[in-house]
Amino acid sequence: DIFIGSDGANSQVRKLLFGETQFSKIEVQEILGTIYDPILVKELKGVFTKFQDPERGISFGFIPFSKNEIIWFNQFDVRLAKVPLTSGEDMKFFTKEILKNFNNLTL
């Protein structure tokens, strides 16, 4: 048998299995989104793709998860966000700005 628990930072599964967790200070955040693009899904051929800029502490990538959709992610050093990212518009603006000129990606 196999059991996979992936219920996030406040994981009830982890708590039941291992007790309370003492977390270190968070240094990386992540913004996720989905793209409906069957053509891009086909081009990616099921391959997880990740671009990294270690000098600025930024990663961006795609994970195909169905025949038609992709999950994209933007991982970044929390110090890069100069304001709280509390709304979808804040996150959209921040993502476009931080990924501008990133590895020649077109957003």
Side-chain angles (χ1 to χ4, degrees):
D1 295 336
I2 186 170
F3 175 80
I4 299 173
S6 57
D7 52 339
N10 296 313
S11 173
Q12 293 302 306
V13 173
R14 182 184 57 248
K15 186 174 181 179
L16 286 170
L17 292 173
F18 305 110
E20 292 293 329
T21 301
Q22 297 297 318
F23 293 103
S24 61
K25 186 177 181 225
I26 297 172
E27 295 182 12
V28 175
Q29 287 187 352
E30 181 174 57
I31 297 173
L32 301 168
T34 60
I35 300 169
Y36 180 88
D37 190 335
I39 294 170
L40 184 55
V41 170
K42 201 174 236 185
E43 288 176 11
L44 290 172
K45 299 176 184 174
V47 176
F48 168 84
T49 305
K50 184 173 184 177
F51 305 95
Q52 294 183 305
D53 181 345
E55 290 178 13
R56 294 192 300 153
I58 303 169
S59 295
F60 180 79
F62 303 95
I63 306 167
F65 78 101
S66 77
K67 288 191 222 177
N68 300 314
E69 293 181 282
I70 296 166
I71 296 172
W72 63 264
F73 60 90
N74 174 18
Q75 299 164 330
F76 55 93
D77 182 322
V78 295
R79 294 170 292 187
L80 297 174
K82 304 299 182 201
V83 297
L85 303 174
T86 55
S87 73
E89 284 302 311
D90 291 344
M91 288 183 246
K92 181 179 178 179
F93 177 80
F94 174 76
T95 298
K96 283 188 170 194
E97 284 298 308
I98 201 165
L99 295 177
K100 187 169 45 179
N101 305 319
F102 183 81
N103 204 31
N104 299 319
L105 293 174
T106 302
L107 300 176

